[in-house]
Amino acid sequence: MNPLRKRLDMIGASVGRTPLLWLPDDSLSLFAKLESVNPNGSTKDRSAYWILKKAIERGDITENTTVVESSSGNFATSLAVFCQSLGIRFVPVIDANCNALTEAVLRSCCERVEKVVAPEGAALLPARLARVAELRAEISDVYWPNQYANGDAADAHYQLTGGELSSAFSRIDYLFVGVGTGGTIAGLSRRVKDQFPGATVVAVDVHGSVALGGAPGKRHIPGLGSSMVPPLLDQALIDHVMHVSEYETVIGCRTLYAEHGLYAGGSTGSVYAAIGRYFAEHPVPPGERPTAVFLCADRGIPYARTVYDLDWVERTLAPDAVATTAL
């Protein structure tokens, strides 16, 4: 057997099969799928594993290949750890929004980390992608996962995450999914609607992101949103779009922590806030109790000095806050 395939099988055995947490709610049967218990703490373990698996099966990645990717968050961490386990080189391209903990993990796993600097006020993603293009021209035998457009990223969530949800429920009425690179919602929405055609899919984005038609603006909390429209969104089956502010993200995270003991990351807080607002605007009819599902996409630890730091919230997000003291 190809030695990469053998090591990959070991990685695959550790990814997924994540638990569901029931959250008490007056009108819903509400469940969070705890993707935070994946080996590297996020749902990106699924897409990183599946993309590497498919690339190795096609022969796009060998033991001599260097993987290069633009990511300042969980996808980079997943790729870094998995590539190290496979014995192949990975060069992450990050930017100034990469939090210190993530950057430390990347530097501990990778011989080379590329950190780009964009002009003041300029979007960071184009700068990262431009550096990826330079590295692809510079390095021989290189593979670019391209998580924004790679169909394997969507297929990971169709086959893995979506497959688990389809097996776990006899009925899903609502699926709430945060949008970043587009792969998660593209795969999940198609699998859930294949199994439960009447399900309503609500896509959640943050103010400042253009992924779902919002106006561009500065964003401070990584994990959700994009400065471009990800090509994978063309595959997504979306019924409603909701935008939340980063202050609502903070409220969502801190409510999950205080009321449910769930120490979750920024995208999870955004989605939880959107769920509350959605059902405030679309009340559940008396006598009905629909099943709603969302992902706890990652852990709260990387956000300890942002979302969970009141000084940072007051200093950074005060213009978005109606009443910071509500925290």
Side-chain angles (χ1 to χ4, degrees):
M1 177 187 284
N2 180 330
L4 286 183
R5 291 287 298 276
K6 184 176 181 180
R7 294 176 209 153
L8 192 68
D9 288 345
M10 295 174 64
I11 292 171
S14 70
V15 173
R17 294 167 293 279
T18 57
L20 287 159
L21 177 67
W22 174 73
L23 302 182
D25 187 273
D26 291 339
S27 59
L28 304 171
S29 291
L30 180 62
F31 294 88
K33 188 159 178 61
L34 302 185
E35 293 295 279
S36 52
V37 306
N38 274 301
N40 297 297
S42 85
T43 194
K44 290 295 186 179
D45 277 354
R46 295 185 188 265
S47 47
Y49 158 68
W50 197 257
I51 285 172
L52 292 172
K53 170 182 165 67
K54 293 301 180 180
I56 289 170
E57 290 174 352
R58 291 190 298 264
D60 294 339
I61 292 178
T62 71
E63 290 179 298
N64 299 315
T65 300
T66 297
V67 177
V68 175
E69 179 62 308
S70 158
S71 171
S72 282
N74 290 318
F75 190 59
T77 299
S78 297
L79 282 176
V81 175
F82 291 162
C83 285
Q84 185 180 59
S85 298
L86 291 167
I88 58 178
R89 191 172 182 233
F90 171 52
V91 180
V93 179
I94 66 174
D95 59 47
N97 271 358
C98 183
N99 72 58
L101 180 59
T102 298
E103 184 170 346
V105 171
L106 295 177
R107 294 192 182 279
S108 73
C109 295
C110 307
E111 294 179 5
R112 179 178 180 182
V113 175
E114 293 282 323
K115 191 169 186 176
V116 302
V117 178
E120 181 67 28
L124 294 169
L125 179 58
R128 293 204 316 261
L129 293 177
R131 185 57 184 145
V132 167
E134 292 171 354
L135 291 170
R136 292 173 64 205
E138 169 191 321
I139 301 170
S140 60
D141 194 357
V142 66
Y143 177 75
W144 177 34
N146 189 11
Q147 60 174 326
Y148 288 89
N150 189 334
D152 292 336
D155 195 44
H157 294 286
Y158 185 94
Q159 300 292 344
L160 303 178
T161 328
E164 291 173 23
L165 287 179
S166 296
S167 298
F169 291 95
S170 60
R171 167 183 166 185
I172 293 178
D173 299 295
Y174 294 92
L175 175 70
F176 290 81
V177 187
V179 173
T181 59
T184 304
I185 194 167
L188 266 185
S189 63
R190 288 187 288 113
R191 183 59 180 266
V192 167
K193 281 185 175 286
D194 281 352
Q195 186 79 14
F196 309 106
T200 296
V201 175
V202 181
V204 181
D205 203 1
V206 292
H207 294 165
S209 167
V210 304
L212 293 171
K218 185 171 179 57
R219 290 174 285 125
H220 306 87
I221 302 172
L224 202 65
S226 176
S227 56
M228 71 175 194
V229 179
L232 287 177
L233 281 181
D234 288 342
Q235 301 179 25
L237 302 176
I238 298 171
D239 298 299
H240 294 281
V241 171
M242 298 194 71
H243 287 85
V244 300
S245 71
E246 291 191 317
Y247 187 70
E248 288 177 289
T249 296
V250 172
I251 294 292
C253 284
R254 297 180 71 89
T255 301
L256 281 170
Y257 182 46
E259 297 184 3
H260 303 292
L262 191 56
Y263 192 51
S267 64
T268 307
S270 300
V271 173
Y272 188 66
I275 292 171
R277 182 144 57 82
Y278 180 89
F279 287 107
E281 297 170 359
H282 306 83
V284 175
E288 295 186 14
R289 193 170 183 83
T291 297
V293 182
F294 69 103
L295 302 186
C296 176
D298 65 353
R299 302 167 182 159
I301 294 171
Y303 306 85
R305 294 186 177 179
T306 54
V307 169
Y308 293 96
D309 182 339
L310 289 182
D311 289 338
W312 181 89
V313 172
E314 291 184 3
R315 184 174 63 252
T316 309
L317 303 184
D320 292 330
V322 175
T324 305
T325 54
L327 294 171

